[in-house]
């Protein structure tokens, strides 16, 4: 995927709100529900992903990971948070409970710093919530 931060945010908002910014519905509510439902088996969740324990706190739907356990996460978040990261540091997520869409774009090949940077990004966003 090649995109801009603005367009990636529009994509996330479209999934979170169920329609594009101009009001046009691109995916049905049921399609978005299906996309954000975990389809991994217990055996699949036990496997490492690129050497990381990716699945202890989340499953995988249709194109997005879905948080279904708060324990085992790299950082702060909510049950139901979904999104995905790219190989060079691009990551995005929606948190429906917090009415939140976040996009981070950096250029860093997946490695030992990747989980820390992603966790710091999310933690800073959640720590800024003041309600």
């Amino acid at each position: 995927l090649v995109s801009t931060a603005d367009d990636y945010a529009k994509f996330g908002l479209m999934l979170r709100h169920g329609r594009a910014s101009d009001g046009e519905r691109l995916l049905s509510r049921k399609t978005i529900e299906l996309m954000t439902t975990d389809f991994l088996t217990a055996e699949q969740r036990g496997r490492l992903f690129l050497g990381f324990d990716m699945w202890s706190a989340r499953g995988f739907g249709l194109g997005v990971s879905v948080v279904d356990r708060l324990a085992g996460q790299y950082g702060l978040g909510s049950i139901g948070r979904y999104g995905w990261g790219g190989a060079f540091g691009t990551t995005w997520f929606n948190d429906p409970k917090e009415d939140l869409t976040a996009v981070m774009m950096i250029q860093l090949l997946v490695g030992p710093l990747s989980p820390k940077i992603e966790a710091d990004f999310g933690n800073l966003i959640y720590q800024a919530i003041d309600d």
Side-chain angles (χ1 to χ4, degrees):
L1 176 67
V2 176
S3 185
T4 66
D6 285 344
D7 283 346
Y8 220 153
K10 287 177 188 175
F11 170 75
L13 288 166
M14 181 269 302
L15 288 178
R16 197 175 92 220
H17 295 139
R19 58 188 71 248
S21 59
D22 65 2
E24 183 178 353
R25 176 167 290 287
L26 302 175
L27 298 171
S28 72
R29 178 179 54 81
K30 297 306 283 181
T31 298
I32 295 170
E33 285 176 17
L34 197 60
M35 288 177 68
T36 58
T37 298
D38 175 29
F39 286 93
L40 295 183
T41 66
E43 179 184 347
Q44 290 168 323
R45 287 183 74 156
R47 296 182 187 156
L48 296 179
F49 179 78
L50 298 174
F52 299 102
D53 177 17
M54 180 102 162
W55 308 116
S56 63
R58 58 182 141 186
F60 196 75
L62 303 178
V64 295
S65 66
V66 184
V67 173
D68 58 5
R69 274 190 50 219
L70 293 180
Q73 287 193 105
Y74 292 122
L76 300 173
S78 304
I79 301 282
R81 170 180 156 169
Y82 63 91
W84 193 247
F88 288 95
T90 299
T91 190
W92 76 276
F93 66 84
N94 279 342
D95 186 330
K97 288 189 170 108
E98 296 292 345
D99 195 28
L100 172 66
T101 297
V103 175
M104 177 182 73
M105 293 183 144
I106 60 173
Q107 293 298 305
L108 177 69
L109 184 61
V110 169
L113 285 177
S114 297
K116 177 159 178 26
I117 292 170
E118 185 176 340
D120 287 349
F121 171 67
N123 286 340
L124 289 168
I125 290 169
Y126 283 103
Q127 289 170 355
I129 296 172
D130 184 20
D131 59 359

